[in-house]
Amino acid sequence: MVENLETTEAHRKVTEHLRAVHEPAFGRPHSIREPQVTSDGERVVVTGAVLDELKGVPRTAVYTVEDGELRPVTTGQGSARGARFSPDGRTLAFLADRRKAGEFQLFLLDAGRFGEARPAPEVPGTVEYAHWSPDGAKVLLGVAGLGADLSGGQGSGTNSAPGAEKPSWFPELDDGSHDGGWRSLWVHTVATGELTRVSPEGLNCWEAGWCGAEQVVAIASDAPGEDEWYIAHLALLDLDGDARKLLGSDVQLALPAGSPDGEWVAVVEAVCSDRGVVAGDLLLVEAATGTVRRVDTDGADVTQLQWLDAERLGYVGLRRLDSVAGIVAGGKVTEVLSAGLSCSAGGFHPQGAFTADGRLLTVQDSYELAPQLVLDGTRLASVAHPGTEFVRSVAGTAEVVTWPAPDGLEIDGILCRPAGDGPFPLVVSIHGGPIWSYQNSWSMRYAWVPLLVQQGYAVLSPNPRGSSGRGQEFAARVVGDMGGADTHDYLSGIDALVERGLVDGSKVGLIGGSYGGFMSSWLVTQDTRFAAAVPVSPVTDWYSQSFTSNIAAWGNRFLDADPEQPGTLAHTRSPVLHASKARTPCLNIAGARDNCTPPGQAREFHQALLAQGVPSVLAIYPEEGHGVRAFPAQLDFLARTLQWFERHMPASPAQ
């Protein structure tokens, strides 16, 4: 019988921990993202995530800074996000779901009138982003139809359940048409209130930006399914709906940004495993001819773009563990930031916003520094509160560690550990992607890291081959080889920490989501050293993944595998087909609404382990997607995780 955790010691510990972290910040932002600044640097806004109680997911609100404090800019109900200043700084555009939760529309707020936003005409669907035209006369809206796919980084599933309530017996229907799930582009003319669709039928626009005042540049595909993003192209559209292909790529294109004069388009080209998790090479494309020029950013993977004017392009990016930023002008690159902390603002990669004179606004944090808003080195505001002080008091310290893989490739990681000399029991926290990377960031982005350190565990967050921040050649090393050489990047890291006396080699566990869930499942079939594992949202059977996932084609491309052909990596790299080699107790976690790595993946591995006599528990959360994000499900998940490690590899709590 599976245990109800509500009366267990693990549940008590997690509840006390989370209340100490969050209760002091109830009703105020506990994290901030999407930093924006006026061209003169006089006004800033951010999106804050707010919990009012440990229930559901955080709501969001737009904040500005007054006297060093974050203040809400509007009094409306629901959530608000995605704020953007007009070019003259006099009007703020933002998105809010005041009419219906989860369905965002455009609102405009004039300077000096915070709290009195006026709604723009509603679009059919939900607005995902808004961009001002260079002349400030129009606002470009990226609109997702209800029922559109969400990426794994967004939690998977769809943005809404379309249609009316159906009887309980009614079947789930799918004819492959993606009705309602298209993404389109609309333009709102501010002076007249006119709303016009500018993308043609049959063109799905994933993201877009202005290219001059009369054209739009977009990442587009001919169909709306999530798998289509991986083969999308760069398109140039005029405002009457005519579109032409500007650039294609063998990998992925993202973050399009046209110059204010319409002459150039900046775009990032990168090998990617998730939409919205992009870090790669900076390309400049001549809008008239399609001529491409690559910009050398000195090894940095670019993660955000912004034109300061027609001659200067700002970028933010990642170089190994460092956040970096620079300005491209006249063929010359000037780097304006290089810091060994995170500027990802709780997202996946560094982000920021430039003023006209080249100053940079970022949200900065580290394992020991709560998120703060910084403009050109000056701290404007922080989310620090008694809860963040509690985290600092129990989370130990973080240090950068490196080690050689068996083939000599140097691998980076961040080791968080309690006070003392060790050796400590170790939990390896494996990131998703695989093309993403850890930085030195607040709580290492996962609540389980400070929680485990508080209980006496060390936590290693590695960046194996395939991770971002080390160029496209390094990222591509995992393509066609997931579960190959990357396996030994993790094992050699554990060996190195054991040899250094920091880790107890008899008490090593694994946790990770998505690709991290795959690798947590895969490693226990390749090495019997592991005392416990918690695969979250895993892929465990690449064959069945090929016929149940909404990103099946991506998986087959990344494995260079054909599931119809016996013996390809779709079969040989599937943990379920190696379950007889496993000896590690596994707690398998999944969300019932996950379309990227469907819950059947966790179930398959669970049943394969039980068939081999290996201890296994399966937990499928009915209201969750890719990962466990909402309370109280997150509390339950963390309690089960802590209990699993304490049962199979106990540690003495840190003092």
Side-chain angles (χ1 to χ4, degrees):
M1 181 176 177
V2 177
E3 185 176 7
N4 184 327
L5 289 190
E6 291 186 1
T7 60
T8 66
E9 180 67 10
H11 189 276
R12 182 193 65 78
K13 289 178 181 178
V14 171
T15 300
E16 289 183 356
H17 179 92
L18 292 178
R19 289 200 175 281
V21 171
H22 291 296
E23 279 189 348
F26 279 174
R28 57 181 287 187
H30 65 265
S31 68
I32 49 178
R33 57 186 173 89
E34 298 182 322
Q36 291 291 309
V37 60
T38 53
S39 60
D40 60 8
E42 292 299 312
R43 297 171 61 206
V44 301
V45 289
V46 291
T47 298
V50 182
L51 280 169
D52 299 305
E53 56 182 324
L54 291 182
K55 183 178 180 180
V57 295
R59 61 181 173 89
T60 57
V62 178
Y63 291 83
T64 189
V65 176
E66 295 178 0
D67 300 322
E69 298 291 331
L70 294 166
R71 308 290 187 193
V73 304
T74 179
T75 58
Q77 299 300 306
S79 282
R81 58 174 175 79
R84 297 289 186 273
F85 288 108
S86 59
D88 63 8
R90 298 173 65 179
T91 305
L92 185 71
F94 67 93
L95 311 177
D97 64 349
R98 295 178 180 179
R99 181 177 61 86
K100 185 176 180 181
E103 296 182 16
F104 288 83
Q105 298 290 335
L106 174 66
F107 288 78
L108 299 173
L109 190 62
D110 294 326
R113 294 178 60 83
F114 282 177
E116 301 295 331
R118 62 184 189 275
E122 292 189 358
V123 296
T126 182
V127 184
E128 295 186 312
Y129 53 86
H131 297 305
W132 288 92
S133 61
D135 59 8
K138 303 179 182 72
V139 182
L140 174 67
L141 305 176
V143 180
L146 302 184
D149 278 351
L150 298 176
S151 69
Q154 295 171 300
S156 189
T158 62
N159 64 4
S160 175
E165 274 306 309
K166 296 180 175 64
S168 59
W169 56 264
F170 199 85
E172 176 185 340
L173 299 174
D174 182 5
D175 63 2
S177 64
H178 295 282
D179 285 345
W182 289 77
R183 285 176 163 87
S184 56
L185 300 177
W186 298 69
V187 167
H188 168 65
T189 302
V190 177
T192 66
E194 182 183 6
L195 183 67
T196 307
R197 176 169 173 156
V198 298
S199 61
E201 296 286 343
L203 189 71
N204 191 76
C205 297
W206 298 97
E207 55 180 328
W210 289 96
C211 185
E214 299 299 328
Q215 288 185 309
V216 170
V217 62
I219 304 300
S221 61
D222 297 329
E226 191 66 25
D227 236 343
E228 299 295 324
W229 177 78
Y230 295 92
I231 55 173
H233 61 274
L234 182 68
L236 192 65
L237 293 75
D238 58 35
L239 298 189
D240 62 10
D242 290 336
R244 65 179 172 94
K245 182 177 179 179
L246 193 60
L247 180 68
S249 176
D250 292 333
V251 290
Q252 283 70 56
L253 297 168
L255 308 176
S259 62
D261 60 6
E263 292 191 10
W264 292 94
V265 175
V267 69
V268 171
E269 182 182 54
V271 55
C272 300
S273 44
D274 295 270
R275 180 167 62 88
V277 188
V278 176
D281 293 340
L282 172 55
L283 308 184
L284 285 175
V285 185
E286 193 172 19
T289 66
T291 301
V292 177
R293 178 159 62 91
R294 291 183 178 270
V295 178
D296 183 1
T297 55
D298 193 23
D301 284 339
V302 174
T303 59
Q304 190 175 25
L305 295 170
Q306 178 191 337
W307 289 92
L308 281 66
D309 54 38
E311 305 296 330
R312 295 177 299 156
L313 173 67
Y315 69 87
V316 184
L318 182 68
R319 183 184 298 116
R320 295 191 82 149
L321 298 173
D322 291 351
S323 298
V324 299
I327 296 173
V328 182
K332 180 182 177 182
V333 176
T334 302
E335 197 160 284
V336 299
L337 173 72
S338 180
L341 43 66
S342 172
C343 291
S344 298
F348 292 101
H349 285 313
Q351 56 183 261
F354 289 89
T355 61
D357 59 6
R359 290 173 290 161
L360 179 65
L361 178 72
T362 56
V363 177
Q364 299 182 2
D365 62 79
S366 70
Y367 192 66
E368 298 177 357
L369 176 67
Q372 58 183 20
L373 189 62
V374 177
L375 177 60
D376 198 35
T378 300
R379 191 184 85 160
L380 304 182
S382 171
V383 302
H385 56 81
T388 60
E389 288 303 310
F390 168 76
V391 173
R392 290 184 58 187
S393 72
V394 302
T397 58
E399 63 180 298
V400 175
V401 291
T402 61
W403 61 90
D407 61 1
L409 188 66
E410 187 175 68
I411 305 299
D412 299 327
I414 297 174
L415 181 67
C416 302
R417 55 177 174 141
D421 297 327
F424 304 101
L426 176 72
V427 176
V428 183
S429 182
I430 304 175
H431 70 61
I435 301 180
W436 178 49
S437 62
Y438 287 117
Q439 288 185 277
N440 184 352
S441 58
W442 183 249
S443 295
M444 294 305 297
R445 290 192 81 255
Y446 292 113
W448 63 64
V449 177
L451 175 66
L452 287 169
V453 173
Q454 181 187 20
Q455 302 305 317
Y457 296 89
V459 180
L460 174 66
S461 301
N463 287 334
R465 66 195 68 206
S467 298
S468 306
R470 297 181 64 175
Q472 294 305 288
E473 181 182 353
F474 187 86
R477 285 176 179 264
V478 76
V479 179
D481 193 38
M482 289 189 294
D486 52 346
T487 299
H488 301 285
D489 294 343
Y490 298 102
L491 297 178
S492 59
I494 297 166
D495 290 340
L497 295 180
V498 171
E499 290 172 5
R500 296 170 195 176
L502 295 172
V503 165
D504 179 350
S506 68
K507 293 183 177 182
V508 178
L510 304 165
I511 188 172
S514 195
Y515 163 82
F518 157 68
M519 189 55 68
S520 296
S521 305
W522 177 250
L523 283 170
V524 302
T525 71
Q526 304 301 299
D527 196 302
T528 59
R529 75 175 74 186
F530 300 106
V534 183
V536 182
S537 304
V539 177
T540 68
D541 183 348
W542 290 103
Y543 179 82
S544 62
Q545 171 82 354
S546 299
F547 303 104
T548 57
S549 170
N550 68 343
I551 53 170
W554 164 80
N556 291 328
R557 283 194 296 270
F558 256 57
L559 285 170
D560 191 21
D562 180 353
E564 289 193 7
Q565 299 299 317
T568 67
L569 293 188
H571 306 273
T572 61
R573 295 284 169 85
S574 292
V576 291
L577 300 181
H578 297 265
S580 63
K581 305 172 188 175
R583 301 293 182 270
T584 302
C586 291
L587 172 61
N588 303 280
I589 305 292
R593 298 179 179 177
D594 192 349
N595 293 335
C596 294
T597 59
Q601 293 294 312
R603 185 179 296 278
E604 284 190 45
F605 195 54
H606 167 65
Q607 294 185 174
L609 292 172
L610 292 180
Q612 299 297 329
V614 179
S616 179
V617 170
L618 173 67
I620 298 178
Y621 291 91
E623 298 178 351
E624 297 297 312
H626 199 62
V628 182
R629 299 167 185 246
F631 291 105
Q634 187 180 140
L635 192 156
D636 182 89
F637 157 62
L638 291 171
R640 292 185 189 279
T641 296
L642 179 59
Q643 184 186 61
W644 197 253
F645 288 125
E646 288 184 332
R647 176 183 300 167
H648 297 290
M649 42 181 285
S652 299
Q655 300 300 315

